[in-house]
Amino acid sequence: MGEYVVAVAGATGAVGREMIKTLEQRNFPVKELKLFASERSRGLELEYNGERVKVQVLKKGCFEGVEVALFSCGGSRSLEFAPDAAASGAVVIDNSSAWRMDPEVPLVVPEVNPHAVAGYKNKGIIANPNCSTIQMVVPLKPIHDFAKIKRIIVATYQATSGAGKKAMDELMDQTKALLNFQPVKCKVFPHQIAFNCLPHIDVFLENDYTKEEMKMYNETRKIMEDYSILVSATTVRVPVFIGHSEAVTIETEREITPGKAKELLSNFPGVIVRDDPTNNVYPLAIEAAGRDEVFVGRIRKDLVFEHGLSMWVVADNLRKGAALNAVQIAEVLVREYM
Ligand code: NAP
Ligand code: 3JN
């Protein structure tokens, strides 16, 4: 395998920094690493493999010579700069929602639909799904293949890091303020997040769901390549720094017992089953933080659907939910196609 000129756009953000760490930890074949962010970060240096790399300003033409470009600098920048990077010859792996539902852009979770990477040839862009969708479809894939999922009802418990670095700071600042009997300031979230839960992630849409909830609906169907699957999601921000948790209930066409689901999940790449409730063993955000796998537990027969299962799914939203999944896509790309 060769080595590649790799760029990270949005390198200074919560996800961008995790991307740099992930490239290093997974020994991605990097010939040269270029880092881009906004004017605010001009001149800043970030560490990669023991070396200091200068952050440059993202601008048209900056991707000349880049072969793989990992984007994590927001949807409007992706819309503006991804076509430019692709035109310069880079394959863009974009972490925003900007390109996810474009029929010509593949939306990939490597454990689920790695073959879709081939679609990068259309526009030179591959989309990385939303974090809540990624961690849900990984364990649902083997169950879908065995029993065909008809409906999914999911409630999420999403960490503040999903909303970026400033959102994590807000949770920290509010927690400190409240423990010192001081008033709190709300800048990132519309209400106090410390010691609270907000059933509101991204904007509200005409159907009264949020955009985050509709991402789970639309993206799940595209990744699973099955538009008959229905998804009802309630996405909730909770006062956790890292690690999204999800209560997932599914209805399947064929019966699947909890035992069979555990067997399938135990053998599926990227999944760890933690399911021994009598000994208080189930997935926890604090244990998933910093880990690559999706953790699944509380697997039980659902009491509502004739063929139904309920489970608790936890993953590090910055790693499997964002940076790691993007780097895994890049690994498939260079291994199979470049
Ligand atoms: P963040 O911590 O706020 O970081 C934002 C990054 O974008 C920073 O590097 C910032 O650079 C850069 N940026 C902002 N405006 C820019 C501009 N005008 N030109 C160039 N760079 C600019 O946010 P984050 O949590 O890392 O998320 C970044 C993006 O990733 C999000 O907007 C979202 O699209 C995507 N995301 C996806 C998932 C997922 O579910 N897969 C999860 C989280 C985020 P400066 O430091 O210079 O401002
Ligand atoms: O809030 C979370 O936990 C995940 C957030 C993801 C996110 C944040 C800002 C913009 C996205 C995303 O990836 O769906 C976007 C976006 O729409 O690009």
Side-chain angles (χ1 to χ4, degrees):
M1 191 160 53
E3 289 196 323
Y4 303 88
V5 181
V6 177
V8 177
T12 52
V15 175
R17 285 171 191 266
E18 203 63 41
M19 282 174 165
I20 298 168
K21 209 187 328 168
T22 308
L23 288 168
E24 184 175 324
Q25 286 170 344
R26 293 177 72 86
N27 263 326
F28 190 85
V30 176
K31 189 178 350 175
E32 186 191 349
L33 183 66
K34 295 187 177 210
L35 304 179
F36 299 108
S38 80
E39 189 64 48
R40 293 179 287 277
S41 302
R42 183 192 282 279
L44 192 81
E45 291 185 345
L46 297 176
E47 203 170 300
Y48 169 72
N49 262 345
E51 288 184 15
R52 312 287 300 167
V53 182
K54 229 183 199 119
V55 177
Q56 304 173 54
V57 177
L58 180 69
K59 56 174 190 254
K60 290 267 162 68
C62 72
F63 293 98
E64 215 50 59
V66 171
E67 292 166 288
V68 179
L70 303 175
F71 268 57
S72 191
C73 46
S76 53
R77 263 77 60 192
S78 295
L79 284 173
E80 188 179 351
F81 293 102
D84 180 57
S88 311
V91 179
V92 174
I93 299 168
D94 179 43
N95 199 35
S96 81
S97 59
W99 299 95
R100 288 180 193 150
M101 299 319 296
D102 183 324
E104 290 194 282
V105 172
L107 183 64
V108 179
V109 177
E111 293 86 347
V112 179
N113 61 339
H115 53 272
V117 167
Y120 82 89
K121 290 169 191 154
N122 298 335
K123 283 193 169 165
I125 302 172
I126 302 171
N128 197 47
N130 175 266
C131 43
S132 302
T133 309
I134 295 176
Q135 73 175 68
M136 183 173 80
V137 296
V138 170
L140 292 190
K141 172 66 177 163
I143 295 174
H144 186 54
D145 288 347
F146 180 84
K148 191 167 182 351
I149 294 172
K150 288 162 67 178
R151 299 169 216 262
I152 303 170
I153 298 170
V154 55
T156 68
Y157 305 67
Q158 295 183 221
T160 51
S161 51
K165 228 161 131 285
K166 287 186 183 139
M168 296 169 86
D169 294 343
E170 185 153 305
L171 171 59
M172 180 66 90
D173 293 344
Q174 290 184 356
T175 307
K176 280 193 221 156
L178 287 163
L179 292 175
N180 286 290
F181 306 100
Q182 298 296 314
V184 296
K185 290 190 192 109
C186 300
K187 288 188 194 148
V188 178
F189 298 113
H191 301 281
Q192 177 186 315
I193 182 63
F195 308 103
N196 205 6
C197 298
L198 310 179
H200 176 182
I201 298 181
D202 212 329
V203 293
F204 283 98
L205 302 174
E206 258 181 19
N207 66 357
D208 294 333
Y209 281 80
T210 62
K211 199 169 163 197
E212 183 82 353
E213 289 160 354
M214 291 315 292
K215 286 172 190 170
M216 293 191 80
Y217 178 91
N218 290 312
E219 295 178 20
T220 299
R221 293 151 56 100
K222 181 167 176 178
I223 300 161
M224 299 285 249
E225 297 169 350
D226 187 338
Y227 290 86
S228 70
I229 299 175
L230 298 173
V231 183
S232 178
T234 304
T235 57
V236 182
R237 186 76 65 197
V238 297
V240 166
F241 286 102
I242 296 179
H244 286 3
S245 305
E246 298 178 347
V248 181
T249 293
I250 54 168
E251 184 191 19
T252 55
E253 207 161 280
R254 288 179 51 199
E255 186 177 2
I256 174 166
T257 63
K260 184 66 189 175
K262 281 179 209 173
E263 180 198 319
L264 293 171
L265 289 167
S266 302
N267 292 316
F268 198 70
V271 173
I272 292 187
V273 175
R274 276 236 202 293
D275 199 359
D276 183 8
T278 49
N279 288 308
N280 303 331
V281 174
Y282 31 72
L284 295 174
I286 54 168
E287 285 169 6
R291 296 286 302 264
D292 286 350
E293 302 86 354
V294 177
F295 294 84
V296 188
R298 298 288 324 276
I299 302 164
R300 59 203 189 275
K301 181 158 174 38
D302 174 70
L303 298 179
V304 173
F305 297 118
E306 188 191 347
H307 297 156
L309 283 179
S310 290
M311 65 196 80
W312 180 247
V313 179
V314 182
D316 183 324
N317 53 298
L318 296 178
R319 289 187 70 81
K320 187 56 191 166
L324 171 66
N325 199 71
V327 173
Q328 285 175 315
I329 293 172
E331 287 170 352
V332 176
L333 179 75
V334 301
R335 192 173 59 235
E336 308 283 337
Y337 301 98
M338 283 173 86

